[in-house]
Amino acid sequence: MSLWTSLEPASATVDPGGSTTVRLRLRNTGDVVDEYRFEAVGSLAPWTTVEPQSLRLYPGTTGSVELTFAPPRTPDATAGPNPYAVRITPTEHPEATTVPEGNLTITPFTEVRAELVPSTVKGRFRGRPKLAVDNVGNTKVTASVSGSDNGDQLSYDIRPSNVQIEPGRAAFVETTLKPRQIIWFGSAEQRPYTLAVQRSGVTPLDVEGTYVQRGFLPRWLAVCLSVSMALAITFVMLWIGYKPQVRSAATEQLQEAGVSNLPPLPSPTAEAPKAPSADIPAPPAAAGTQQPGGAGAEAGPEAGPEEGSGAGAGGGGSEEQEAEAPERTAATAVQQLAAKDPTGRHICYRVFTAGQGWSDVACDGDTAGTVGGGAPITAVNTASSGTKGTSSGAYIHNPASTDGAGQYRDPWQNAADGIDVHVGSTEKDAPHMLGFALSVDGGAGTVCHTSYVHNDTWLGLACDEPGAGLTFTYVGTHDNNLWIEAIKLTV
């Protein structure tokens, strides 16, 4: 060993989003001039800078380099002690590599975000919004969720009411809103409400939403029923007040005259009705009808097809082929949503599952794909509206991988609003997709997602942050041995 090293200090502490510096001292204990190259290794390497990256020392001399650690304020910067190391490679003797090790403690921080999906729900008897709670800190978060509104007009059924969320994950809370009074007639009424995410020792995080309660019967029907009821009551009152007194004098006149109103009995000497005469001829038979005795069978030549008829001239005619219905893609589905809601933002999508083909189109947070079936996705079709276009790229299995990661093999695909974007492949032996990158508005818009990973579970809700420099989001896993089976997207 021709090198002596020392880390000063051997253990350091840093806040996420900040930085700290550790000095690495080394002495050339050999007898030749040597140049040393430095490389940070380990989980902290992406956040470590070494200055200078190489150092030339004469025998017996000492030099130093500075290691600067700058972990980001994200869930990736795991709280607690994190070991690190620096690989020192001598130019003259590369086989004598030295790897001094140290320890960096990252302080914990907590940050929780919550969003209602959708923020406005409509219904007559209930509404079912979802609350997405994201832990964007670097420690586990335990929180409870409760609901409230002005005037106590709604009741709340929250499942689950308590959640534990790992760093970088999200929890979905199902909420059922029920109005305490039903609106039988009249227009809809807006009922604002608040869902509070409460943590111990921290001010609750309030998320506001609106429940639009519709009337049980529309206003026009209520008006019609009211008018009909008023007319019916008016008619009954008029009938009772002005009922005509009808009296017949026919019975009195008959009684005074002593005449019976019963029909007279037949006379015993009346002649009985006669039977029809046999001399009256029978009515003529209709054309083509066989007469008794076979007369109809002998009258006229044998019947045949008429000249010029469709059967004789065309030899049976030609069969019309039914037009095949066009394929329903993400673009056709999102175009229908855009026609109903021109000012809204929508995204539709479908997945191609190996051995099963294209799934049904899903939109705005619904599920596309199979959950727990084990079949991998090999292609994804997306389209959006109100977002100025969609961009996407497939991250696929890499059979030649040496670091357990997949690869981006094909270029990104771009399309305007209402146009299909296809990534991946639908061929028979196409590689399965670990995931895919996605952005809208040329990276200036927000898109959120969650996905089901094989042998795992639904991943937490994640969104890109254009204002923070994240211009796209990644859907799925980076593990080369896994793949995605189902997805949910919102914009």
Side-chain angles (χ1 to χ4, degrees):
M1 178 67 66
S2 61
L3 183 66
W4 170 86
T5 61
S6 174
L7 287 170
E8 299 175 356
S11 297
T13 302
V14 64
D15 296 328
S19 63
T20 190
T21 301
V22 174
R23 176 170 294 181
L24 171 62
R25 298 181 62 200
L26 63 161
R27 179 185 297 116
N28 184 355
T29 59
D31 53 3
V32 296
V33 178
D34 209 340
E35 183 177 2
Y36 304 94
R37 297 190 304 271
F38 306 94
E39 180 185 3
V41 295
S43 59
L44 299 182
W47 312 322
T48 306
T49 304
V50 182
E51 289 292 338
Q53 296 183 350
S54 64
L55 188 64
R56 186 178 181 86
L57 294 177
Y58 287 91
T61 60
T62 301
S64 64
V65 296
E66 290 188 348
L67 308 178
T68 302
F69 301 95
R73 190 177 176 84
T74 65
D76 297 332
T78 306
N82 293 267
Y84 68 90
V86 180
R87 181 186 294 118
I88 305 175
T89 306
T91 303
E92 297 296 331
H93 302 283
E95 71 281 356
T97 300
T98 303
V99 185
E101 297 180 354
N103 185 74
L104 180 68
T105 300
I106 300 177
T107 60
F109 77 96
T110 303
E111 185 175 350
V112 174
R113 300 175 185 174
E115 180 184 6
L116 274 171
V117 183
S119 59
T120 300
V121 292
K122 301 177 181 180
R124 292 179 174 85
F125 304 106
R126 63 182 55 85
R128 292 189 174 94
K130 292 182 180 179
L131 179 66
V133 184
D134 297 279
N135 181 6
V136 294
N138 61 356
T139 58
K140 181 187 292 186
V141 167
T142 301
S144 62
V145 181
S146 61
S148 62
D149 61 274
N150 294 329
D152 195 24
Q153 297 174 333
L154 302 173
S155 64
Y156 304 86
D157 181 13
I158 301 174
R159 303 179 304 275
S161 59
N162 295 282
V163 292
Q164 284 189 345
I165 313 171
E166 297 291 335
R169 298 279 182 157
F172 288 90
V173 178
E174 303 282 348
T175 305
T176 301
L177 310 174
K178 294 182 179 179
R180 299 188 184 277
Q181 294 183 350
I182 298 175
I183 302 176
W184 293 104
F185 301 98
S187 58
E189 295 184 7
Q190 294 188 357
R191 307 201 184 280
Y193 67 94
T194 301
L195 295 182
V197 181
Q198 300 175 332
R199 293 178 290 142
S200 177
V202 180
T203 303
L205 175 61
D206 293 336
V207 183
E208 297 182 351
T210 302
Y211 172 61
V212 180
Q213 184 181 358
R214 295 171 173 170
F216 182 74
L217 295 176
R219 179 181 293 273
W220 65 266
L221 183 58
V223 172
C224 291
L225 291 177
S226 300
V227 172
S228 300
M229 183 66 69
L231 292 175
I233 294 175
T234 302
F235 177 77
V236 171
M237 296 302 294
L238 291 174
W239 175 261
I240 294 175
Y242 300 98
K243 183 178 180 180
Q245 300 296 326
V246 179
R247 185 170 60 89
S248 175
T251 303
E252 297 176 358
Q253 292 176 356
L254 290 174
Q255 289 176 352
E256 292 176 358
V259 181
S260 174
N261 59 352
L262 295 176
L265 294 175
S267 172
T269 59
E271 184 177 0
K274 296 182 179 180
S277 173
D279 297 334
I280 301 175
T289 303
Q290 185 176 355
Q291 297 293 330
E298 297 177 358
E302 183 178 358
E306 295 183 5
E307 256 186 1
S309 66
S318 61
E319 298 182 357
E320 295 183 359
Q321 297 182 350
E322 296 183 357
E324 185 175 344
E327 181 182 10
R328 178 175 169 82
T329 67
T332 57
V334 85
Q335 289 169 10
Q336 293 175 353
L337 290 178
K340 298 178 181 178
D341 183 15
T343 61
R345 292 166 58 89
H346 303 282
I347 186 168
C348 294
Y349 42 90
R350 58 176 182 159
V351 299
F352 189 91
T353 304
Q356 300 178 16
W358 285 109
S359 69
D360 292 337
V361 178
C363 298
D364 297 339
D366 292 334
T367 301
T370 57
V371 177
I377 292 173
T378 64
V380 175
N381 168 211
T382 58
S384 62
S385 66
T387 65
K388 300 180 182 178
T390 308
S391 300
S392 186
Y395 192 71
I396 62 175
H397 174 74
N398 182 10
S401 174
T402 59
D403 57 358
Q407 63 178 344
Y408 284 105
R409 187 179 65 183
D410 300 324
W412 276 50
Q413 304 297 318
N414 306 293
D417 272 0
I419 304 299
D420 282 314
V421 171
H422 291 84
V423 295
S425 175
T426 59
E427 296 181 359
K428 180 178 180 181
D429 298 324
H432 55 258
M433 292 177 59
L434 312 184
F436 60 97
L438 182 67
S439 68
V440 296
D441 282 348
T446 298
V447 55
C448 299
H449 70 85
T450 181
S451 57
Y452 186 88
V453 177
H454 176 63
N455 288 337
D456 197 354
T457 184
W458 282 103
L459 300 181
L461 180 71
C463 306
D464 56 353
E465 299 179 18
L470 300 178
T471 58
F472 68 91
T473 188
Y474 180 78
V475 185
T477 176
H478 291 86
D479 192 333
N480 200 45
N481 297 319
L482 297 177
W483 56 80
I484 52 175
E485 297 181 9
I487 62 173
K488 300 177 182 179
L489 306 176
T490 57
V491 294

